[in-house]
Amino acid sequence: MAAVRNGVQGRLAKKLHIKTFGCQMNVYDSSRMADVLAPLGYELSDHVEEADMVIVNTCHIREKAAEKLYSELGRYRQVKEARTGGGEATVIAVAGCVAQAEGAEIMNRAPFVDIVVGPQAYHQLPELVARAARAKDEKKGGKRKGSGVLAIDFPAESKFDQLPPVRHQGPTAFLSVQEGCDKFCTFCVVPYTRGAEYSRPADEVVAEARELAAAGAREITLLGQNVNAYHGVDAGGKAVGLGELIRRLADVDGISRIRYTTSHPIDMSDELIAAHRDVDALMPFLHLPVQSGSDRILARMNRHHDMSLYCRVVEKLMTARPDMKLSSDFIVGFPGETDADFQATLELAREVEFIQAFSFKYSARLGTPGALMDNQVPEDVKSERLAVLQDVLTGNQAAFNRSCVDRVMPVLLDRKGRKQGQLAGRSPYLQPVHVDAPDSRFGQIVDLRIVAGHENSLAGELPADGTAPSLERVVA
Ligand code: 5AD
Ligand code: SF4
């Protein structure tokens, strides 16, 4: 369960195992579920065999989500049976977007599941655990057939008002500021599984950032499905956009680096772009999904923008912060995508220097308009296009990584390296960097000389102590 890094101390030391699929929002949710369950005595464990409770936090964004879930559940069923044989109980919960989308179906197909809980309802987990225990007793007593408890409504109260304070450890942290989406891209399940757009109050976000900083976080990544649509208010009732929120967070003692993800091109407001110009702590790296380079496909995707808007936003960002670099998401084989449309995407990938990118074959999602569109693209065509696009994108990434060699980059060392005596961290551009360094450097932002640029990572060297970096510095 590498996804959740918080150590949770339990009073009764029951073991909680969480398996996380999907995006950073799910990683954040998993850690918050651990926080919610900590007062009940649950402490995190990597070992499923000893778990008193198992949570599978699922992702529904692309195909095979359900298959993955049921194969995972098969494993947990065996654990449950083995432990029941030994007189111990295991609670199995399914959380996340598949839980939201498939709800009762999961109970039918996997009746040994005790709890199904959606992304907006997991603050209720303590109550759900108690209800599941009661339901089990009632089932034993013959009072009910199944014993599963389902919580997939979108509750009127925000879960953020109900969650306990964060329990965080480590130099990097996620902070959820916004959730849900009202944009309804025709390929995407998020508006259905995560619900309507919601922004947390600004002061609550700043307070959480202070707690994270006090617990050692130096870098925070603000999360939201549409994070740059953030529109909070502060205690004085003043509207706060993401740019202003970032300015306030940059003032929090201890926070040296700020990132945010995932953004939509139409919400890159001038106010936010100005924050990129003014706020040093805001990293010069932005994930800005484009999905397709063809205006025709963007319209069919209901992306609310065309290529010229996207390119204008990129230009404004580069003007505001000349060392800015971008990453993106692409979908190939959206219904109706012709060879010419795909060529436009390729052209975009060649023209804009994306230093990192995620590219996917379109996967029809039940309940989304795209799934019902004519001209679905055959699987083999999707695969061919994906391979061609990925070739260009990985080439861009490798070229950028190579161009970093001999430069000096500030790297936040937030992990142990794979080899003995190594630490690893992230450059301003989120490139993983490995370096031979003593443990005393853990948690520090260190200027490293980059000595090798691989396809997916960099190798760095500590400058001799006391020497100022003599080479070109990539980011101030
Ligand atoms: N098929 C393929 N890719 C998808 N994404 C979202 N929905 C789908 C889908 N149905 C991709 C988009 C999005 C990223 C998180 O996942 O590129 O930006
Ligand atoms: Fe999905 Fe589009 Fe909303 Fe992003 S903006 S979460 S792709 S519907």
Side-chain angles (χ1 to χ4, degrees), residues 41-61:
Y42 283 102
E43 127 189 324
L44 281 171
S45 164
D46 285 341
H47 307 291
V48 64
E49 319 77 51
E50 62 172 20
D52 300 287
M53 180 165 182
V54 180
I55 301 176
V56 198
N57 195 4
T58 57
C59 170
H60 202 228
I61 200 111

Side-chain angles (χ1 to χ4, degrees), residues 61 180-191 225-226 262 264 291 303:
I61 200 111
C181 179
D182 294 339
K183 296 217 167 48
F184 291 92
C185 299
T186 49
F187 53 81
C188 185
V189 287
V190 165
Q225 266 89 31
N226 245 253
T262 290
H264 193 289
Q291 315 297 358
R303 285 290 288 177

Side-chain angles (χ1 to χ4, degrees), residues 61-62 187-189 262 287 289 291 303 329-331 358 360-365:
I61 200 111
R62 284 175 296 275
F187 53 81
C188 185
V189 287
T262 290
H287 184 61
Q291 315 297 358
R303 285 290 288 177
D329 288 342
F330 293 83
I331 297 178
F358 303 93
F360 312 102
K361 289 192 273 187
Y362 169 69
S363 140
R365 308 278 71 206

Side-chain angles (χ1 to χ4, degrees), residues 374-388:
D374 294 338
N375 302 326
Q376 298 283 332
V377 174
E379 215 40 46
D380 55 337
V381 176
K382 288 186 202 171
S383 302
E384 252 171 59
R385 289 182 184 166
L386 186 69
V388 174

